[in-house]
Amino acid sequence: MKDFRIRLRYLDEVISLLFPPSTTSSARTLVPSRLVPRRLVPRAAWHVGGRVLVPDGPDTIETHLGDVLGRRVRATLHVRPARRANRKPVLELYGDAGLLAFVKIGDQPHTRDLIRHETDTLRAIARHSFDVVVAPKVMHHGVWRDLDVLVLTPLPVTKGRPSADLLAAAAKEIAALGKGSWHGDFSPWNVAPMGDRLLVWDWERFGTGVPPGFDTLHYFFQTALRRMRPVSAAKACVAQSGRLLEPFGISYEEARVTAAAYLMTLAERHRAAGHEPLGSPATWLNPAVDGLEPLT
């Protein structure tokens, strides 16, 4: 219930920020109606799973993006999880021909930094020719009402689970971008197969200077967290690391050390963000890596 109230309050703030009140109400916001405060829109049967009205006018994110892109656009707002360190408003932007772009809004110092980093990353990798990886392209990045606004090309909607070989090939391509490169959030919800290629989005956490295989370990760990407790997922990540990192030519002993380094890197990320979704590292990290000290 507390998370629900936080999400309601956040949604209220986002709508006020992106769609300042005016005399008309025509902007489209695609959200479950139970998440929309009653003071913004009355309940009606067709609101469920459909569209609701929010304030619109000459100075909204929708009109700004229309000016930037030189065409009439319609924006729909996605409700993000209530508790995430990188939580931010995300819009779908539609033109006359359908879905035109996804738009990320940096409304806090941390999310503004992430958006700027993703912008730089995507512009850099756009100059690289991939055989497997398909990444979004930057259509626009700028500032509106002190908010960072990143407009990205949409990737095709696909279904299915990528094969281990496809994931490994994509992870190796990303690692080859620079010394110790990794996507940083190579998770099931950030990738999708498209034939013999892999769609990869959300490059906010791209970094360098890590051992090969961090992305592969991250994908496994995030998948494991869906079905087991963090401490069990961390132990499984270490136990399976030899098999997971075999495509990188890493020995089983080195793989276990790499898995420990990955888990510690993730814990430090959470600490630096002031948000520990897995709980204290003492409860999930230490039991998984303490026994590896003789290997380091």
Side-chain angles (χ1 to χ4, degrees), residues 178-220:
K179 189 174 182 179
S181 296
W182 71 312
H183 175 275
D185 196 9
F186 198 72
S187 307
W189 49 88
N190 283 336
V191 303
M194 186 179 67
D196 59 356
R197 308 200 70 181
L198 190 71
L199 309 175
V200 184
W201 49 89
D202 282 350
W203 292 74
E204 299 172 352
R205 301 288 190 176
F206 178 82
T208 57
V210 303
F214 263 36
D215 277 332
T216 298
L217 293 167
H218 188 76
Y219 186 94
F220 176 88

mmCIF file of all heavy atoms in Angstrom, residues 178-220:
data_model
loop_
_atom_site.group_PDB
_atom_site.id
_atom_site.type_symbol
_atom_site.label_atom_id
_atom_site.label_comp_id
_atom_site.label_asym_id
_atom_site.label_seq_id
_atom_site.Cartn_x
_atom_site.Cartn_y
_atom_site.Cartn_z
ATOM 1 N N GLY A 178 35.298 -1.245 -26.394
ATOM 2 C CA GLY A 178 36.415 -0.559 -25.764
ATOM 3 C C GLY A 178 37.004 -1.451 -24.701
ATOM 4 O O GLY A 178 36.528 -2.577 -24.473
ATOM 5 N N LYS A 179 38.032 -0.985 -24.031
ATOM 6 C CA LYS A 179 38.706 -1.805 -23.034
ATOM 7 C C LYS A 179 37.773 -2.092 -21.861
ATOM 8 O O LYS A 179 37.429 -1.204 -21.096
ATOM 9 C CB LYS A 179 39.963 -1.096 -22.549
ATOM 10 C CG LYS A 179 40.833 -1.971 -21.661
ATOM 11 C CD LYS A 179 42.134 -1.292 -21.324
ATOM 12 C CE LYS A 179 43.013 -2.215 -20.474
ATOM 13 N NZ LYS A 179 44.311 -1.586 -20.135
ATOM 14 N N GLY A 180 37.363 -3.342 -21.744
ATOM 15 C CA GLY A 180 36.510 -3.737 -20.632
ATOM 16 C C GLY A 180 35.132 -3.133 -20.674
ATOM 17 O O GLY A 180 34.555 -2.783 -19.638
ATOM 18 N N SER A 181 34.530 -3.003 -21.870
ATOM 19 C CA SER A 181 33.207 -2.386 -21.992
ATOM 20 C C SER A 181 32.113 -3.347 -21.567
ATOM 21 O O SER A 181 32.227 -4.561 -21.748
ATOM 22 C CB SER A 181 32.951 -1.942 -23.438
ATOM 23 O OG SER A 181 33.848 -0.934 -23.824
ATOM 24 N N TRP A 182 31.041 -2.780 -20.995
ATOM 25 C CA TRP A 182 29.836 -3.572 -20.734
ATOM 26 C C TRP A 182 28.626 -2.667 -20.776
ATOM 27 O O TRP A 182 28.711 -1.465 -20.529
ATOM 28 C CB TRP A 182 29.939 -4.351 -19.430
ATOM 29 C CG TRP A 182 29.884 -3.577 -18.135
ATOM 30 C CD1 TRP A 182 30.591 -2.455 -17.818
ATOM 31 C CD2 TRP A 182 29.094 -3.904 -16.985
ATOM 32 N NE1 TRP A 182 30.299 -2.056 -16.535
ATOM 33 C CE2 TRP A 182 29.389 -2.917 -15.991
ATOM 34 C CE3 TRP A 182 28.192 -4.904 -16.686
ATOM 35 C CZ2 TRP A 182 28.786 -2.937 -14.734
ATOM 36 C CZ3 TRP A 182 27.609 -4.922 -15.428
ATOM 37 C CH2 TRP A 182 27.905 -3.951 -14.480
ATOM 38 N N HIS A 183 27.491 -3.238 -21.141
ATOM 39 C CA HIS A 183 26.241 -2.483 -21.235
ATOM 40 C C HIS A 183 25.826 -1.953 -19.875
ATOM 41 O O HIS A 183 25.328 -0.830 -19.750
ATOM 42 C CB HIS A 183 25.158 -3.400 -21.817
ATOM 43 C CG HIS A 183 23.789 -2.806 -21.866
ATOM 44 N ND1 HIS A 183 22.928 -2.850 -20.791
ATOM 45 C CD2 HIS A 183 23.119 -2.161 -22.856
ATOM 46 C CE1 HIS A 183 21.791 -2.262 -21.105
ATOM 47 N NE2 HIS A 183 21.873 -1.840 -22.362
ATOM 48 N N GLY A 184 26.000 -2.748 -18.847
ATOM 49 C CA GLY A 184 25.724 -2.303 -17.486
ATOM 50 C C GLY A 184 24.369 -2.693 -16.945
ATOM 51 O O GLY A 184 24.178 -2.751 -15.726
ATOM 52 N N ASP A 185 23.390 -2.936 -17.834
ATOM 53 C CA ASP A 185 22.078 -3.418 -17.390
ATOM 54 C C ASP A 185 21.525 -4.380 -18.436
ATOM 55 O O ASP A 185 20.407 -4.246 -18.914
ATOM 56 C CB ASP A 185 21.117 -2.254 -17.164
ATOM 57 C CG ASP A 185 19.891 -2.671 -16.353
ATOM 58 O OD1 ASP A 185 19.882 -3.800 -15.825
ATOM 59 O OD2 ASP A 185 18.940 -1.869 -16.257
ATOM 60 N N PHE A 186 22.351 -5.345 -18.790
ATOM 61 C CA PHE A 186 22.030 -6.355 -19.800
ATOM 62 C C PHE A 186 21.067 -7.358 -19.170
ATOM 63 O O PHE A 186 21.451 -8.431 -18.714
ATOM 64 C CB PHE A 186 23.338 -7.019 -20.235
ATOM 65 C CG PHE A 186 23.277 -7.753 -21.541
ATOM 66 C CD1 PHE A 186 23.195 -7.068 -22.744
ATOM 67 C CD2 PHE A 186 23.363 -9.141 -21.568
ATOM 68 C CE1 PHE A 186 23.181 -7.758 -23.952
ATOM 69 C CE2 PHE A 186 23.349 -9.836 -22.767
ATOM 70 C CZ PHE A 186 23.248 -9.145 -23.962
ATOM 71 N N SER A 187 19.789 -6.978 -19.130
ATOM 72 C CA SER A 187 18.764 -7.719 -18.398
ATOM 73 C C SER A 187 17.692 -8.237 -19.348
ATOM 74 O O SER A 187 17.562 -7.738 -20.470
ATOM 75 C CB SER A 187 18.108 -6.817 -17.347
ATOM 76 O OG SER A 187 19.085 -6.212 -16.518
ATOM 77 N N PRO A 188 16.895 -9.200 -18.902
ATOM 78 C CA PRO A 188 15.837 -9.730 -19.778
ATOM 79 C C PRO A 188 14.883 -8.666 -20.289
ATOM 80 O O PRO A 188 14.358 -8.796 -21.404
ATOM 81 C CB PRO A 188 15.113 -10.736 -18.866
ATOM 82 C CG PRO A 188 16.148 -11.172 -17.885
ATOM 83 C CD PRO A 188 16.992 -9.950 -17.637
ATOM 84 N N TRP A 189 14.626 -7.625 -19.508
ATOM 85 C CA TRP A 189 13.690 -6.578 -19.928
ATOM 86 C C TRP A 189 14.346 -5.521 -20.819
ATOM 87 O O TRP A 189 13.681 -4.624 -21.304
ATOM 88 C CB TRP A 189 13.069 -5.904 -18.703
ATOM 89 C CG TRP A 189 14.069 -5.488 -17.664
ATOM 90 C CD1 TRP A 189 14.751 -4.300 -17.603
ATOM 91 C CD2 TRP A 189 14.493 -6.256 -16.545
ATOM 92 N NE1 TRP A 189 15.583 -4.289 -16.515
ATOM 93 C CE2 TRP A 189 15.438 -5.477 -15.847
ATOM 94 C CE3 TRP A 189 14.165 -7.517 -16.060
ATOM 95 C CZ2 TRP A 189 16.070 -5.938 -14.678
ATOM 96 C CZ3 TRP A 189 14.799 -7.969 -14.911
ATOM 97 C CH2 TRP A 189 15.734 -7.186 -14.231
ATOM 98 N N ASN A 190 15.645 -5.627 -21.043
ATOM 99 C CA ASN A 190 16.343 -4.654 -21.887
ATOM 100 C C ASN A 190 16.853 -5.244 -23.193
ATOM 101 O O ASN A 190 17.567 -4.563 -23.937
ATOM 102 C CB ASN A 190 17.525 -4.031 -21.126
ATOM 103 C CG ASN A 190 17.071 -2.997 -20.126
ATOM 104 O OD1 ASN A 190 16.002 -2.416 -20.257
ATOM 105 N ND2 ASN A 190 17.888 -2.756 -19.111
ATOM 106 N N VAL A 191 16.514 -6.491 -23.475
ATOM 107 C CA VAL A 191 16.942 -7.124 -24.722
ATOM 108 C C VAL A 191 15.791 -7.935 -25.297
ATOM 109 O O VAL A 191 14.879 -8.342 -24.576
ATOM 110 C CB VAL A 191 18.172 -8.041 -24.507
ATOM 111 C CG1 VAL A 191 19.332 -7.269 -23.904
ATOM 112 C CG2 VAL A 191 17.816 -9.240 -23.625
ATOM 113 N N ALA A 192 15.840 -8.168 -26.602
ATOM 114 C CA ALA A 192 14.843 -9.012 -27.270
ATOM 115 C C ALA A 192 15.439 -9.523 -28.574
ATOM 116 O O ALA A 192 16.150 -8.792 -29.269
ATOM 117 C CB ALA A 192 13.557 -8.229 -27.545
ATOM 118 N N PRO A 193 15.159 -10.780 -28.926
ATOM 119 C CA PRO A 193 15.704 -11.329 -30.169
ATOM 120 C C PRO A 193 14.929 -10.843 -31.388
ATOM 121 O O PRO A 193 13.717 -10.624 -31.321
ATOM 122 C CB PRO A 193 15.527 -12.842 -29.978
ATOM 123 C CG PRO A 193 14.317 -12.958 -29.102
ATOM 124 C CD PRO A 193 14.358 -11.771 -28.185
ATOM 125 N N MET A 194 15.642 -10.672 -32.476
ATOM 126 C CA MET A 194 15.024 -10.348 -33.763
ATOM 127 C C MET A 194 15.799 -11.122 -34.825
ATOM 128 O O MET A 194 16.779 -10.627 -35.382
ATOM 129 C CB MET A 194 15.065 -8.845 -34.039
ATOM 130 C CG MET A 194 14.303 -8.434 -35.315
ATOM 131 S SD MET A 194 14.340 -6.635 -35.620
ATOM 132 C CE MET A 194 16.082 -6.390 -35.961
ATOM 133 N N GLY A 195 15.386 -12.370 -35.045
ATOM 134 C CA GLY A 195 16.132 -13.233 -35.952
ATOM 135 C C GLY A 195 17.492 -13.555 -35.349
ATOM 136 O O GLY A 195 17.597 -14.000 -34.210
ATOM 137 N N ASP A 196 18.552 -13.290 -36.126
ATOM 138 C CA ASP A 196 19.902 -13.554 -35.632
ATOM 139 C C ASP A 196 20.541 -12.315 -35.015
ATOM 140 O O ASP A 196 21.764 -12.252 -34.837
ATOM 141 C CB ASP A 196 20.789 -14.097 -36.755
ATOM 142 C CG ASP A 196 20.886 -13.134 -37.937
ATOM 143 O OD1 ASP A 196 20.203 -12.080 -37.918
ATOM 144 O OD2 ASP A 196 21.637 -13.439 -38.888
ATOM 145 N N ARG A 197 19.709 -11.319 -34.673
ATOM 146 C CA ARG A 197 20.213 -10.104 -34.036
ATOM 147 C C ARG A 197 19.516 -9.904 -32.692
ATOM 148 O O ARG A 197 18.470 -10.506 -32.426
ATOM 149 C CB ARG A 197 20.012 -8.881 -34.940
ATOM 150 C CG ARG A 197 20.567 -9.078 -36.343
ATOM 151 C CD ARG A 197 20.810 -7.777 -37.042
ATOM 152 N NE ARG A 197 21.935 -7.040 -36.460
ATOM 153 C CZ ARG A 197 22.339 -5.832 -36.891
ATOM 154 N NH1 ARG A 197 21.695 -5.243 -37.877
ATOM 155 N NH2 ARG A 197 23.365 -5.245 -36.337
ATOM 156 N N LEU A 198 20.109 -9.056 -31.852
ATOM 157 C CA LEU A 198 19.561 -8.812 -30.524
ATOM 158 C C LEU A 198 19.302 -7.322 -30.346
ATOM 159 O O LEU A 198 20.216 -6.504 -30.475
ATOM 160 C CB LEU A 198 20.523 -9.298 -29.436
ATOM 161 C CG LEU A 198 19.937 -9.303 -28.017
ATOM 162 C CD1 LEU A 198 18.897 -10.423 -27.875
ATOM 163 C CD2 LEU A 198 21.039 -9.475 -26.966
ATOM 164 N N LEU A 199 18.040 -6.969 -30.084
ATOM 165 C CA LEU A 199 17.688 -5.595 -29.768
ATOM 166 C C LEU A 199 18.138 -5.305 -28.347
ATOM 167 O O LEU A 199 17.854 -6.071 -27.426
ATOM 168 C CB LEU A 199 16.175 -5.397 -29.882
ATOM 169 C CG LEU A 199 15.506 -5.867 -31.176
ATOM 170 C CD1 LEU A 199 13.996 -5.704 -31.085
ATOM 171 C CD2 LEU A 199 16.061 -5.109 -32.370
ATOM 172 N N VAL A 200 18.835 -4.198 -28.163
ATOM 173 C CA VAL A 200 19.363 -3.844 -26.839
ATOM 174 C C VAL A 200 19.088 -2.374 -26.585
ATOM 175 O O VAL A 200 19.522 -1.510 -27.349
ATOM 176 C CB VAL A 200 20.881 -4.106 -26.739
ATOM 177 C CG1 VAL A 200 21.372 -3.823 -25.315
ATOM 178 C CG2 VAL A 200 21.228 -5.524 -27.153
ATOM 179 N N TRP A 201 18.338 -2.085 -25.511
ATOM 180 C CA TRP A 201 18.057 -0.690 -25.173
ATOM 181 C C TRP A 201 18.457 -0.387 -23.734
ATOM 182 O O TRP A 201 19.004 -1.232 -23.033
ATOM 183 C CB TRP A 201 16.586 -0.348 -25.420
ATOM 184 C CG TRP A 201 15.593 -1.301 -24.841
ATOM 185 C CD1 TRP A 201 15.048 -1.271 -23.608
ATOM 186 C CD2 TRP A 201 15.020 -2.436 -25.503
ATOM 187 N NE1 TRP A 201 14.166 -2.306 -23.439
ATOM 188 C CE2 TRP A 201 14.130 -3.034 -24.586
ATOM 189 C CE3 TRP A 201 15.166 -2.988 -26.768
ATOM 190 C CZ2 TRP A 201 13.388 -4.179 -24.900
ATOM 191 C CZ3 TRP A 201 14.430 -4.127 -27.077
ATOM 192 C CH2 TRP A 201 13.555 -4.698 -26.172
ATOM 193 N N ASP A 202 18.209 0.847 -23.285
ATOM 194 C CA ASP A 202 18.571 1.333 -21.945
ATOM 195 C C ASP A 202 20.076 1.215 -21.696
ATOM 196 O O ASP A 202 20.543 0.401 -20.885
ATOM 197 C CB ASP A 202 17.789 0.590 -20.858
ATOM 198 C CG ASP A 202 16.366 1.091 -20.741
ATOM 199 O OD1 ASP A 202 16.061 2.125 -21.360
ATOM 200 O OD2 ASP A 202 15.555 0.465 -20.037
ATOM 201 N N TRP A 203 20.825 2.112 -22.347
ATOM 202 C CA TRP A 203 22.285 2.116 -22.246
ATOM 203 C C TRP A 203 22.774 3.105 -21.186
ATOM 204 O O TRP A 203 23.906 3.583 -21.251
ATOM 205 C CB TRP A 203 22.895 2.451 -23.608
ATOM 206 C CG TRP A 203 22.683 1.391 -24.647
ATOM 207 C CD1 TRP A 203 21.521 1.097 -25.300
ATOM 208 C CD2 TRP A 203 23.664 0.473 -25.147
ATOM 209 N NE1 TRP A 203 21.708 0.060 -26.176
ATOM 210 C CE2 TRP A 203 23.009 -0.342 -26.108
ATOM 211 C CE3 TRP A 203 25.020 0.269 -24.891
ATOM 212 C CZ2 TRP A 203 23.672 -1.343 -26.809
ATOM 213 C CZ3 TRP A 203 25.681 -0.731 -25.588
ATOM 214 C CH2 TRP A 203 25.016 -1.526 -26.533
ATOM 215 N N GLU A 204 21.956 3.404 -20.209
ATOM 216 C CA GLU A 204 22.304 4.391 -19.188
ATOM 217 C C GLU A 204 23.507 3.983 -18.346
ATOM 218 O O GLU A 204 24.212 4.829 -17.797
ATOM 219 C CB GLU A 204 21.110 4.608 -18.253
ATOM 220 C CG GLU A 204 19.867 5.140 -18.936
ATOM 221 C CD GLU A 204 18.675 5.144 -17.989
ATOM 222 O OE1 GLU A 204 18.796 4.587 -16.878
ATOM 223 O OE2 GLU A 204 17.627 5.708 -18.351
ATOM 224 N N ARG A 205 23.722 2.675 -18.203
ATOM 225 C CA ARG A 205 24.760 2.179 -17.302
ATOM 226 C C ARG A 205 26.019 1.719 -18.028
ATOM 227 O O ARG A 205 26.887 1.080 -17.414
ATOM 228 C CB ARG A 205 24.199 0.998 -16.500
ATOM 229 C CG ARG A 205 22.978 1.336 -15.670
ATOM 230 C CD ARG A 205 23.328 2.189 -14.489
ATOM 231 N NE ARG A 205 22.203 2.328 -13.560
ATOM 232 C CZ ARG A 205 22.283 2.959 -12.402
ATOM 233 N NH1 ARG A 205 23.434 3.507 -12.028
ATOM 234 N NH2 ARG A 205 21.221 3.057 -11.626
ATOM 235 N N PHE A 206 26.122 2.024 -19.314
ATOM 236 C CA PHE A 206 27.300 1.592 -20.071
ATOM 237 C C PHE A 206 28.579 2.076 -19.387
ATOM 238 O O PHE A 206 28.667 3.208 -18.907
ATOM 239 C CB PHE A 206 27.237 2.145 -21.496
ATOM 240 C CG PHE A 206 28.433 1.783 -22.332
ATOM 241 C CD1 PHE A 206 28.508 0.550 -22.962
ATOM 242 C CD2 PHE A 206 29.476 2.672 -22.486
ATOM 243 C CE1 PHE A 206 29.602 0.208 -23.731
ATOM 244 C CE2 PHE A 206 30.597 2.346 -23.254
ATOM 245 C CZ PHE A 206 30.651 1.113 -23.870
ATOM 246 N N GLY A 207 29.562 1.167 -19.334
ATOM 247 C CA GLY A 207 30.828 1.541 -18.704
ATOM 248 C C GLY A 207 31.976 0.745 -19.288
ATOM 249 O O GLY A 207 31.798 -0.114 -20.167
ATOM 250 N N THR A 208 33.168 1.044 -18.807
ATOM 251 C CA THR A 208 34.381 0.360 -19.265
ATOM 252 C C THR A 208 35.202 -0.043 -18.038
ATOM 253 O O THR A 208 34.879 0.296 -16.908
ATOM 254 C CB THR A 208 35.223 1.270 -20.175
ATOM 255 O OG1 THR A 208 35.551 2.475 -19.452
ATOM 256 C CG2 THR A 208 34.462 1.648 -21.436
ATOM 257 N N GLY A 209 36.274 -0.784 -18.314
ATOM 258 C CA GLY A 209 37.195 -1.141 -17.247
ATOM 259 C C GLY A 209 36.781 -2.323 -16.407
ATOM 260 O O GLY A 209 37.197 -2.437 -15.245
ATOM 261 N N VAL A 210 35.948 -3.217 -16.952
ATOM 262 C CA VAL A 210 35.543 -4.408 -16.197
ATOM 263 C C VAL A 210 36.022 -5.660 -16.940
ATOM 264 O O VAL A 210 36.273 -5.618 -18.148
ATOM 265 C CB VAL A 210 34.008 -4.463 -16.000
ATOM 266 C CG1 VAL A 210 33.514 -3.210 -15.299
ATOM 267 C CG2 VAL A 210 33.291 -4.669 -17.328
ATOM 268 N N PRO A 211 36.138 -6.786 -16.246
ATOM 269 C CA PRO A 211 36.544 -8.030 -16.915
ATOM 270 C C PRO A 211 35.502 -8.477 -17.932
ATOM 271 O O PRO A 211 34.313 -8.165 -17.791
ATOM 272 C CB PRO A 211 36.647 -9.030 -15.757
ATOM 273 C CG PRO A 211 36.780 -8.207 -14.520
ATOM 274 C CD PRO A 211 35.998 -6.951 -14.792
ATOM 275 N N PRO A 212 35.894 -9.226 -18.942
ATOM 276 C CA PRO A 212 34.920 -9.761 -19.903
ATOM 277 C C PRO A 212 33.897 -10.639 -19.195
ATOM 278 O O PRO A 212 34.229 -11.366 -18.262
ATOM 279 C CB PRO A 212 35.795 -10.595 -20.855
ATOM 280 C CG PRO A 212 37.178 -10.077 -20.681
ATOM 281 C CD PRO A 212 37.281 -9.619 -19.267
ATOM 282 N N GLY A 213 32.646 -10.543 -19.664
ATOM 283 C CA GLY A 213 31.615 -11.410 -19.140
ATOM 284 C C GLY A 213 30.668 -10.793 -18.129
ATOM 285 O O GLY A 213 29.704 -11.435 -17.703
ATOM 286 N N PHE A 214 30.900 -9.542 -17.743
ATOM 287 C CA PHE A 214 30.019 -8.909 -16.758
ATOM 288 C C PHE A 214 28.572 -8.870 -17.248
ATOM 289 O O PHE A 214 27.642 -9.099 -16.473
ATOM 290 C CB PHE A 214 30.503 -7.484 -16.446
ATOM 291 C CG PHE A 214 31.350 -7.377 -15.203
ATOM 292 C CD1 PHE A 214 32.233 -8.385 -14.867
ATOM 293 C CD2 PHE A 214 31.281 -6.272 -14.383
ATOM 294 C CE1 PHE A 214 33.026 -8.296 -13.729
ATOM 295 C CE2 PHE A 214 32.051 -6.173 -13.239
ATOM 296 C CZ PHE A 214 32.934 -7.180 -12.907
ATOM 297 N N ASP A 215 28.359 -8.566 -18.529
ATOM 298 C CA ASP A 215 26.983 -8.497 -19.049
ATOM 299 C C ASP A 215 26.310 -9.866 -18.986
ATOM 300 O O ASP A 215 25.123 -9.972 -18.635
ATOM 301 C CB ASP A 215 26.972 -7.975 -20.487
ATOM 302 C CG ASP A 215 27.017 -6.455 -20.557
ATOM 303 O OD1 ASP A 215 26.546 -5.797 -19.612
ATOM 304 O OD2 ASP A 215 27.533 -5.929 -21.559
ATOM 305 N N THR A 216 27.033 -10.916 -19.330
ATOM 306 C CA THR A 216 26.469 -12.265 -19.279
ATOM 307 C C THR A 216 26.087 -12.641 -17.856
ATOM 308 O O THR A 216 25.016 -13.213 -17.607
ATOM 309 C CB THR A 216 27.487 -13.274 -19.841
ATOM 310 O OG1 THR A 216 27.753 -12.953 -21.214
ATOM 311 C CG2 THR A 216 26.951 -14.694 -19.755
ATOM 312 N N LEU A 217 26.934 -12.301 -16.895
ATOM 313 C CA LEU A 217 26.646 -12.574 -15.489
ATOM 314 C C LEU A 217 25.446 -11.769 -15.011
ATOM 315 O O LEU A 217 24.604 -12.269 -14.248
ATOM 316 C CB LEU A 217 27.877 -12.260 -14.634
ATOM 317 C CG LEU A 217 29.085 -13.164 -14.856
ATOM 318 C CD1 LEU A 217 30.323 -12.566 -14.196
ATOM 319 C CD2 LEU A 217 28.831 -14.577 -14.327
ATOM 320 N N HIS A 218 25.345 -10.530 -15.465
ATOM 321 C CA HIS A 218 24.228 -9.674 -15.058
ATOM 322 C C HIS A 218 22.908 -10.249 -15.568
ATOM 323 O O HIS A 218 21.913 -10.280 -14.830
ATOM 324 C CB HIS A 218 24.430 -8.266 -15.597
ATOM 325 C CG HIS A 218 23.431 -7.265 -15.078
ATOM 326 N ND1 HIS A 218 23.490 -6.739 -13.809
ATOM 327 C CD2 HIS A 218 22.341 -6.694 -15.659
ATOM 328 C CE1 HIS A 218 22.491 -5.892 -13.623
ATOM 329 N NE2 HIS A 218 21.778 -5.851 -14.736
ATOM 330 N N TYR A 219 22.896 -10.705 -16.812
ATOM 331 C CA TYR A 219 21.677 -11.284 -17.368
ATOM 332 C C TYR A 219 21.258 -12.506 -16.549
ATOM 333 O O TYR A 219 20.083 -12.662 -16.203
ATOM 334 C CB TYR A 219 21.894 -11.669 -18.832
ATOM 335 C CG TYR A 219 20.626 -12.142 -19.525
ATOM 336 C CD1 TYR A 219 19.846 -11.248 -20.251
ATOM 337 C CD2 TYR A 219 20.225 -13.476 -19.454
ATOM 338 C CE1 TYR A 219 18.680 -11.675 -20.880
ATOM 339 C CE2 TYR A 219 19.065 -13.906 -20.077
ATOM 340 C CZ TYR A 219 18.302 -12.997 -20.794
ATOM 341 O OH TYR A 219 17.141 -13.425 -21.401
ATOM 342 N N PHE A 220 22.218 -13.367 -16.243
ATOM 343 C CA PHE A 220 21.900 -14.566 -15.454
ATOM 344 C C PHE A 220 21.381 -14.177 -14.068
ATOM 345 O O PHE A 220 20.372 -14.728 -13.592
ATOM 346 C CB PHE A 220 23.145 -15.448 -15.313
ATOM 347 C CG PHE A 220 22.916 -16.646 -14.432
ATOM 348 C CD1 PHE A 220 22.425 -17.827 -14.962
ATOM 349 C CD2 PHE A 220 23.174 -16.591 -13.064
ATOM 350 C CE1 PHE A 220 22.197 -18.937 -14.144
ATOM 351 C CE2 PHE A 220 22.939 -17.686 -12.245
ATOM 352 C CZ PHE A 220 22.458 -18.870 -12.788
#
